[in-house]
Amino acid sequence: MVGSKNYAPQEYDVVRDTISALESKVRKIQGSYGYEGDRLCAEAMEMINYMQTDESFYYWSGDTDSVIEKILENAGLSEAEIHHRALRGEDAMYT
């Protein structure tokens, strides 16, 4: 019998996991253009809005806006650019 390993379940942390998901989404945006990139921006904008309005982030000890800004800045993006591209992506979905 092979020795069993004890894998303790990892606790879900909404703040940590949302920040990680935004970082991943921003990396995908960097390599995507046109409609696909705009659609990814719409998804990123939803995450940003969630982070700026969710109670978990309100009570978090970090500065949510600074974290968002740093993630986008590291990718050479801005929140305004994400927002603009997100609107284009939403427009394209409905036309």
Side-chain angles (χ1 to χ4, degrees), residues 27-46:
R27 282 191 300 274
K28 288 179 184 178
I29 290 169
Q30 286 180 291
S32 301
Y33 300 97
Y35 172 74
E36 179 65 17
D38 294 346
R39 184 187 60 77
L40 291 169
C41 284
E43 293 174 9
M45 199 67 225
E46 287 179 15

Side-chain angles (χ1 to χ4, degrees), residues 43-58:
E43 293 174 9
M45 199 67 225
E46 287 179 15
M47 296 170 93
I48 290 169
N49 288 337
Y50 173 77
M51 292 170 71
Q52 292 174 332
T53 60
D54 185 69
E55 194 172 90
S56 299
F57 284 90
Y58 177 77

